[in-house]
Amino acid sequence: MAQLAPIATAIGAGVSIFNSVQQGQAQSANAKAQASAAREQERVRAEQVTLQQSSDARAREARLAGTLASTRARLAAGGISPDEGSAAALTAGMERDAAAAQADSDQIFAARLSAGRRSLLNTDGSLTSFLRAGTTFGSTLRNLLD
């Protein structure tokens, strides 16, 4: 009967290791599925941000074109040539302001995209399960030797 105890312990250790590996594989599969879903969500979010940014840029261009046309028309109606002197400086200033606003928008866009990026330090769980299995195996081996 005493000879069956180490065999039973070894079988128990084998079953424990098998269960740990199975659990690790299931965790790994879940982690991969979660990572895939997170990548898809990130792709969709980046696409939404890109669409919003391009929509904002189009709206800003339309406002600038309307403002410039209106300003040029008012200047021309007042007898001032919109392409010369202070009128040209006014329209050039509006264009510079619009370019600066676009640059700010581009920086905000880049910041939004980078803020949503997942960290490279996030674990996917694939190594954790094998470490747990190794710990289980080590404790089982230590119990057998004691």
Side-chain angles (χ1 to χ4, degrees):
M1 204 48 135
Q3 293 138 349
L4 291 178
I7 294 172
T9 303
I11 290 173
V15 169
S16 176
I17 290 171
F18 177 76
N19 285 337
S20 294
V21 169
Q22 289 294 96
Q23 187 178 28
Q25 289 173 345
Q27 287 176 349
S28 178
N30 285 339
K32 287 178 184 177
Q34 288 175 351
S36 175
R39 280 192 303 274
E40 180 63 20
Q41 288 174 349
E42 178 62 24
R43 186 193 64 76
V44 168
R45 190 190 65 75
E47 186 176 312
Q48 288 173 345
V49 170
T50 302
L51 289 173
Q52 180 65 41
Q53 203 261 348
S54 63
S55 173
D56 290 348
R58 281 192 305 274
R60 203 172 16 263
E61 288 173 10
R63 279 192 310 269
L64 175 64
T67 301
L68 285 175
S70 173
T71 302
R72 291 172 68 85
R74 275 190 240 132
L75 289 171
I80 301 171
S81 174
D83 296 325
E84 297 175 358
S86 61
L90 177 67
T91 56
M94 288 179 180
E95 289 173 349
R96 277 193 307 274
D97 288 346
Q102 180 63 42
D104 290 345
S105 176
D106 290 344
Q107 288 176 349
I108 291 170
F109 172 68
R112 277 182 166 172
L113 286 181
S114 66
R117 185 176 304 146
R118 292 176 53 88
S119 171
L120 296 176
L121 300 176
N122 288 349
T123 60
D124 64 352
S126 61
L127 182 62
T128 306
S129 60
F130 292 111
L131 291 176
R132 285 184 187 147
T135 303
T136 303
F137 178 72
S139 64
T140 303
L141 186 61
R142 187 173 48 243
N143 288 338
L144 284 174
L145 293 176
D146 286 343

